[in-house]
Amino acid sequence: MPQLNGGGGDDLGANDEMISFKDEGEQEEKISENVSAERDLDDVKSSLVNESENNSSSSDSEQAERRPQTRPDSESYEKTRDYFSEALRRQQDGGFFKSPHYPGYPFLMIPDLTNPYLSNGSLSPSARTYLQMKWPLLDVPGSAGLKDSRSPTPGHLSNKVPVVQHAHHVHPLTPLITYSNEHFTPGTPPSHLSPEILDPKTGIPRTPHPSELSPYYPLSPGAVGSIAHPLGWLMPQQGQPMYSIPPGGFRHPYPALAMNASMSSLVSSRFSPHMVTPPPHSLHQTGIPHPAIVSPAIKQEPSTDNLSPSMHFTDAILLMKEEDKKPHIKKPLNAFMLYMKEMRAKVVAECTLKESAAINQILGRRWHSLSREEQAKYYELARKERQLHSQLYPGWSARDNYGKRKKRKRENKPDSKPEGKRFFLQIARFILSQQQIHNSASSLFPLLSPDFSIRSKKQCVQYLPSEKMCDSPASSHGSMLDSPATPSAALASPAAPAATHSEQAQPLSLTTKPEGRMHHHFSIPGKASGSSSSSSSSSSSSSSQHALSIPIGTSGSQSTTPILTRPIPFTSLHPSMLSPPSPFHQAALHSHHALFQSQPLSLVTKPTE
DNA sequence: TAGCCTTTGAAGGTG
DNA sequence: CACCTTCAAAGGCTA
């Protein structure tokens, strides 16, 4: 995996993963973004007609079994004792923090302001979410004066996105901003943010009390100015490490931890990281009763409130064990996840598509279309997140979270013949469904394709490929860079390479496998390869965009999963709604129907590793 | 209502 | 070392 050495983009990973597609260059984004996004949406939309019955290779072994659950009795006793003491302490605190301290900022009171890595079920959309709530304010027309229109920040969407954005419009660096040394700076709110800090009752702008400011709030004035760059606002201040520890003390960037420390000591939020770095789980079990803290214990208040020192020991053990499962230190987000968190809202806003699966496909393509530099930023961010995470939870292991999620029900039996059977069954079912959909839709909506009938308000225009639909897809050698630059690509930053097939020359396609790795034959799904999701799929988005491929089987065994492919989502391209089919489109349809007289399907297989 | 879908990347386990 | 599996986010969809 790409590991940055602090800005150098050379080690960003395999070249094939870092191929820069500049079809969504920074400057061009405003121009072509809608187009590409909508195009993506159409691609995805069509591809979502996925009859796949997952032939995933979910391992039969239950992950939970592998989790180290056996603890020495002494340890259990210790934990029980701590648990009781903690519960007792919470009781003694008596809801001291139960009433909001920030009446003017109810959104800051969301308990999820705890450690973003703490999974607390429904209450854990992560602290980023609520920090994010601040950013939509930059979206108001009044904030249109943001220096750089290229910024993908909400301001960038100001003309498309409602002032009130989705709560999930989260900046990937939100947690990192949180770690700013200045986010606790009292009484120095950024001037540009002051208008939004209104008294909830009077509506008069006011200077928030330091205590009203969320520790997640990026108060750093410099950070505000850094919005100019698409990621500038995400990036640490120049020469200032995002995760730097103040000389005077460690201000823990992870709120939960900071809260814990501050609450425990009731003195200050400054502390040494080593002083407060608890065992991964004890952190949550302390359950500081602050409204901004969501600890599993607090979530279980109904039960924990009933705790009494006289509780039976075995009951306590059970309770503790139950509780022990709750604290969930989430994995640090990787680069793509950070990117996704930022861009999701953007994509959603552009096309009003809510389905995450489809959005993620778009995002995956966009991810590959990012320039090397842009990706490098996210890699760097992810690296810092991991670094911070490791500092916060030295003993944490990704393995700890194994089994937290329910295993997929998909049975992946090793017998291969059923696999092939299933494969063709899926094809048949898909064909049937396509027929039904098409028939019913065309009868109901003569002018509307099924896709459009489903499509929500915003119509995602799908553009026909202008050229070279059958160009060889990208390869790790960067052959895609040979693609002629599109007008939008011409607007891209100099650092950005020419546009690729990914979204401009091959707008109709969705998947995505490099031609060099393509197997033009059916491959019997063999070894499930989750790694393919990263390795092969990494190159997927940047390649073979000739057809809209519909994975039949997914979830971990993508590399060997055959794909149903529709050469053209013609149903989405009704002439009444779109421009007439291009010669290529017609040719594609023609050949397509010639190949599959009744079904708009072709089969390709995803490449195997 | 829990799990699936879908993406990429990271991490850990396995052979 | 290569490969495989799981999880991270997220929201509509499905059984």
Side-chain angles (χ1 to χ4, degrees):
Chain A
M1 278 305 102
Q3 293 291 336
L4 294 184
N5 290 334
D10 294 335
D11 54 346
L12 284 179
N15 289 335
D16 58 342
E17 293 186 11
M18 292 305 299
I19 294 172
S20 301
F21 311 101
K22 206 46 194 175
D23 53 0
E24 285 191 284
E26 296 172 300
Q27 293 179 357
E28 67 169 345
E29 262 196 356
K30 292 188 71 176
I31 299 172
S32 64
E33 195 164 76
N34 283 340
V35 171
S36 63
E38 291 168 355
R39 203 171 49 216
D40 286 337
L41 272 176
D42 263 358
D43 295 347
V44 172
K45 196 83 178 181
S46 301
S47 69
L48 279 181
V49 188
N50 187 350
E51 278 287 308
S52 70
E53 194 169 320
N54 205 337
N55 56 357
S56 73
S57 62
S58 62
S59 63
D60 296 331
S61 61
E62 189 59 36
Q63 296 296 335
E65 295 176 1
R66 289 191 257 172
R67 291 193 63 226
Q69 290 181 345
T70 58
R71 301 174 184 276
D73 290 340
S74 59
E75 185 181 353
S76 298
Y77 175 76
E78 284 293 318
K79 294 194 66 176
T80 305
R81 191 181 57 183
D82 294 342
Y83 179 83
F84 280 145
S85 61
E86 198 56 44
L88 183 62
R89 188 160 62 90
R90 285 202 299 271
Q91 277 189 323
Q92 290 170 347
D93 287 342
F96 176 76
F97 294 101
K98 282 180 180 176
S99 62
H101 287 185
Y102 319 107
Y105 301 91
F107 51 91
L108 292 179
M109 294 300 300
I110 297 177
D112 197 34
L113 285 175
T114 56
N115 191 330
Y117 293 119
L118 297 184
S119 171
N120 297 292
S122 60
L123 287 179
S124 62
S126 98
R128 299 179 177 91
T129 299
Y130 303 102
L131 173 61
Q132 188 75 23
M133 296 298 286
K134 286 290 186 179
W135 286 100
L137 295 167
L138 298 176
D139 256 352
V140 297
S143 67
L146 290 178
K147 291 179 181 177
D148 195 335
S149 61
R150 304 171 305 169
S151 172
T153 59
H156 176 75
L157 306 171
S158 57
N159 59 338
K160 308 171 190 174
V161 186
V163 173
V164 178
Q165 290 193 349
H166 300 286
H168 63 264
H169 183 90
V170 176
H171 278 295
L173 279 196
T174 300
L176 307 182
I177 295 170
T178 300
Y179 310 146
S180 168
N181 295 340
E182 302 167 342
H183 64 261
F184 277 123
T185 303
T188 57
S191 58
H192 79 291
L193 291 176
S194 56
E196 66 180 348
I197 303 176
L198 302 178
D199 188 293
K201 294 177 181 178
T202 65
I204 300 173
R206 60 182 178 84
T207 299
H209 188 274
S211 64
E212 292 177 305
L213 295 174
S214 167
Y216 295 88
Y217 195 79
L219 286 183
S220 172
V224 174
S226 65
I227 291 176
H229 190 279
L231 285 174
W233 65 278
L234 298 174
M235 301 303 291
Q237 293 305 294
Q238 299 235 344
Q240 182 182 11
M242 200 175 301
Y243 291 75
S244 66
I245 298 173
F250 183 85
R251 178 169 297 158
H252 214 291
Y254 281 73
L257 195 53
M259 284 297 188
N260 252 351
S262 61
M263 293 305 170
S264 299
S265 62
L266 293 176
V267 172
S268 161
S269 63
R270 292 176 174 270
F271 46 82
S272 166
H274 300 292
M275 291 171 55
V276 298
T277 303
H281 292 304
S282 65
L283 171 66
H284 324 295
Q285 290 175 353
T286 53
I288 301 303
H290 189 280
I293 293 178
V294 172
S295 77
I298 288 189
K299 282 192 69 180
Q300 287 188 336
E301 263 183 348
S303 62
T304 57
D305 286 344
N306 295 331
L307 281 176
S308 70
S310 62
M311 176 183 285
H312 198 276
F313 183 78
T314 56
D315 293 340
I317 292 291
L318 293 176
L319 194 69
M320 191 200 67
K321 282 186 177 179
E322 183 181 356
E323 176 114 346
D324 194 23
K325 298 175 183 177
K326 294 257 179 169
H328 186 197
I329 301 173
K330 295 184 179 181
K331 294 175 65 176
L333 303 186
N334 61 37
F336 178 71
M337 286 293 153
L338 293 172
Y339 171 78
M340 216 168 60
K341 291 204 78 166
E342 180 195 357
M343 298 301 296
R344 172 178 298 278
K346 193 176 182 178
V347 174
V348 170
E350 286 172 355
C351 292
T352 66
L353 186 63
K354 299 290 185 184
E355 209 160 343
S356 289
I359 294 172
N360 291 347
Q361 286 187 345
I362 297 174
L363 290 171
R365 293 179 60 185
R366 288 196 174 194
W367 171 253
H368 287 285
S369 70
L370 287 180
S371 69
R372 204 180 178 85
E373 290 76 16
E374 286 174 317
Q375 283 189 346
K377 295 166 188 171
Y378 289 98
Y379 281 121
E380 177 68 11
L381 292 176
R383 187 187 64 80
K384 290 182 176 179
E385 285 242 13
R386 290 195 305 273
Q387 183 178 353
L388 180 61
H389 192 277
S390 63
Q391 290 177 359
L392 288 172
Y393 312 106
W396 181 86
S397 168
R399 194 70 175 175
D400 296 344
N401 290 357
Y402 277 28
K404 298 276 184 175
R405 282 183 175 181
K406 299 290 176 132
K407 292 282 293 181
R408 295 187 176 181
K409 293 179 178 177
R410 301 294 166 80
E411 78 294 345
N412 185 24
K413 297 183 179 178
D415 47 337
S416 59
K417 289 196 173 181
E419 198 74 60
K421 270 186 179 178
R422 210 181 314 157
F423 170 56
F424 288 104
L425 260 177
Q426 289 163 347
I427 296 175
R429 257 186 293 188
F430 179 80
I431 292 172
L432 270 177
S433 66
Q434 288 293 289
Q435 275 186 324
Q436 292 170 351
I437 290 175
H438 192 266
N439 292 340
S440 59
S442 51
S443 62
L444 291 174
F445 307 100
L447 296 181
L448 290 180
S449 72
D451 288 343
F452 277 110
S453 65
I454 299 170
R455 189 154 299 143
S456 48
K457 354 165 190 174
K458 204 174 291 184
Q459 180 182 11
C460 295
V461 180
Q462 193 157 29
Y463 295 88
L464 293 175
S466 57
E467 61 188 66
K468 294 179 71 175
M469 273 293 279
C470 296
D471 276 357
S472 61
S475 69
S476 59
H477 308 302
S479 62
M480 292 188 66
L481 299 181
D482 298 333
S483 298
T486 61
S488 59
L491 296 175
S493 62
T500 63
H501 309 270
S502 63
E503 291 186 85
Q504 291 172 345
Q506 314 292 338
L508 286 176
S509 60
L510 179 58
T511 49
T512 73
K513 293 297 172 184
E515 187 180 67
R517 308 166 98 179
M518 282 293 245
H519 298 282
H520 298 286
H521 56 81
F522 295 140
S523 66
I524 301 300
K527 297 197 294 183
S529 64
S531 61
S532 66
S533 63
S534 58
S535 59
S536 63
S537 63
S538 64
S539 58
S540 65
S541 306
S542 58
S543 57
S544 90
Q545 318 254 332
H546 311 151
L548 191 144
S549 301
I550 298 159
I552 293 296
T554 57
S555 89
S557 56
Q558 300 162 358
S559 64
T560 57
T561 304
I563 311 171
L564 283 179
T565 299
R566 285 192 300 170
I568 297 288
F570 60 91
T571 55
S572 301
L573 295 168
H574 195 281
S576 64
M577 305 190 66
L578 301 173
S579 58
S582 69
F584 173 85
H585 188 197
Q586 293 173 342
L589 284 175
H590 184 268
S591 60
H592 172 271
H593 287 297
L595 192 60
F596 297 91
Q597 294 179 358
S598 59
Q599 295 307 328
L601 287 173
S602 64
L603 284 173
V604 297
T605 57
K606 283 192 176 180
T608 56
E609 285 297 320

